[in-house]
Amino acid sequence: MTLPASAPAIVVEGVRKSFKDTDVLRGVDFDVPRGSIFALLGSNGAGKTTLVRILSTLLAADGGKAAVEGFDVGAQPHKVREVISLTGQFAAVDEILTGRENLVLVARLRHLEHPQQAADQLLGRFGLTDAGARKVATYSGGMRRRLDIAMSLVGEPRVIFLDEPTTGLDPEARLEVWDIVRNLASQGTTVLLTTQYLDEAENLADRIAILHGVRIIANGTLAELKRLLPPATVEYVEKQPSLEDIFLTLVGHGESVKDRS
């Protein structure tokens, strides 16, 4: 299916999900423009991973509709899986294999015609060529995450879900992942990123949605979200609201910008 260039890559309408008597998502709505980075921001337990699992066909919603690249997540799961990839919170790499062997394995599972060539191209793209023949057990955390994301790009998916991709990484490795995400979007891949790190959303995302209390309570560009708070007051130094100010105020755990001046 070929969508018009203006059509969103991801559309979510009224999605609901409960586990027994506990509501996790209740009427979630948003869409993600193609080739953009969309950050889903929320605290632990806010439902971010649940929503990603629904969009990646790993979990059925209780209600509402969702589509990825025009394919209905509930009615056309096989079509959705053909155009997406998912990277979870922890690197899903085989430590016994080399980096190259991990990539070749995924390429073969995806029935690529030239798995060895695909592996070599991705090793080069992610700066892992020199480490390709080493067992992954010898890799640093940042290298493992780079390999994990490289594995998720085998077959050139149009949409990639990154579920808290920098959890547990040191600052240098986090910056490496940020560069990877930016490069993905610059090459036309749509990225939906979940994170609890405010600076991550602030630095990477074209649009940010805040998930809190089973709903999306704000959705917009960083500039649009900043306008939700009172204007900065000028005493000695003007203080513009940060994404942290916005997030804490909207979820009810923070002071206003004026109070903190």
Side-chain angles (χ1 to χ4, degrees):
M1 175 183 294
T2 302
L3 293 176
S6 59
I10 302 171
V11 178
V12 178
E13 298 178 349
V15 166
R16 294 181 286 105
K17 184 64 184 179
S18 300
F19 295 103
K20 295 185 177 180
D21 296 328
T22 302
D23 288 341
V24 179
L25 303 170
R26 188 188 304 156
V28 171
D29 298 280
F30 64 85
D31 56 58
V32 180
R34 303 176 80 184
S36 69
I37 302 172
F38 184 90
L40 190 60
L41 183 63
S43 306
N44 280 334
K48 304 185 302 296
T49 297
T50 297
L51 185 54
V52 166
R53 293 185 68 198
I54 289 171
L55 291 173
S56 57
T57 76
L58 297 177
L59 184 67
D62 295 334
K65 296 191 302 181
V68 179
E69 284 291 325
F71 299 114
D72 187 280
V73 169
Q76 301 170 289
H78 296 296
K79 290 291 187 181
V80 172
R81 291 170 196 154
E82 289 177 357
V83 298
I84 70 166
S85 189
L86 168 64
T87 297
Q89 295 181 23
F90 304 100
V93 294
D94 191 322
E95 294 187 348
I96 298 175
L97 301 178
T98 67
R100 191 169 189 273
E101 288 169 342
N102 270 277
L103 288 164
V104 169
L105 175 62
V106 175
R108 286 175 174 164
L109 289 172
R110 286 188 174 265
H111 307 292
L112 266 63
E113 188 173 349
H114 302 290
Q116 309 283 347
Q117 181 179 343
D120 289 339
Q121 288 175 346
L122 285 166
L123 286 171
R125 180 176 173 184
F126 286 85
L128 293 170
T129 299
D130 291 342
R134 286 168 41 195
K135 291 188 181 297
V136 174
T138 68
Y139 283 19
S140 67
M143 291 170 69
R144 292 184 189 208
R145 179 52 88 185
R146 274 188 279 155
L147 177 63
D148 191 32
I149 296 176
M151 290 165 61
S152 72
L153 293 179
V154 172
E156 299 183 348
R158 289 180 248 166
V159 177
I160 183 169
F161 298 105
L162 299 178
D163 190 15
E164 303 201 17
T166 61
T167 296
L169 296 184
D170 61 44
E172 184 178 3
R174 287 184 71 207
L175 293 177
E176 289 179 2
V177 173
W178 288 9
D179 285 341
I180 290 169
V181 173
R182 292 189 187 100
N183 288 335
L184 288 174
S186 70
Q187 294 172 17
T189 304
T190 303
V191 180
L192 190 151
L193 167 80
T194 75
T195 184
Q196 58 181 311
Y197 299 128
L198 304 175
D199 61 332
E200 190 157 274
E202 191 164 7
N203 278 279
L204 289 179
D206 298 301
R207 296 187 66 83
I208 302 164
I210 297 175
L211 182 60
H212 179 73
V214 306
R215 290 190 174 90
I216 298 291
I217 61 172
N219 182 358
T221 65
L222 181 59
E224 289 168 344
L225 295 181
K226 284 184 176 182
R227 289 198 290 270
L228 297 175
L229 271 63
T233 58
V234 179
E235 293 178 357
Y236 297 104
V237 178
E238 180 177 332
K239 182 181 185 302
Q240 292 292 335
S242 67
L243 185 57
E244 181 179 7
D245 294 321
I246 297 164
F247 177 80
L248 293 176
T249 299
L250 289 173
V251 303
H253 296 302
E255 300 170 318
S256 69
V257 175
K258 182 177 181 180
D259 292 338
R260 294 177 61 181
S261 298

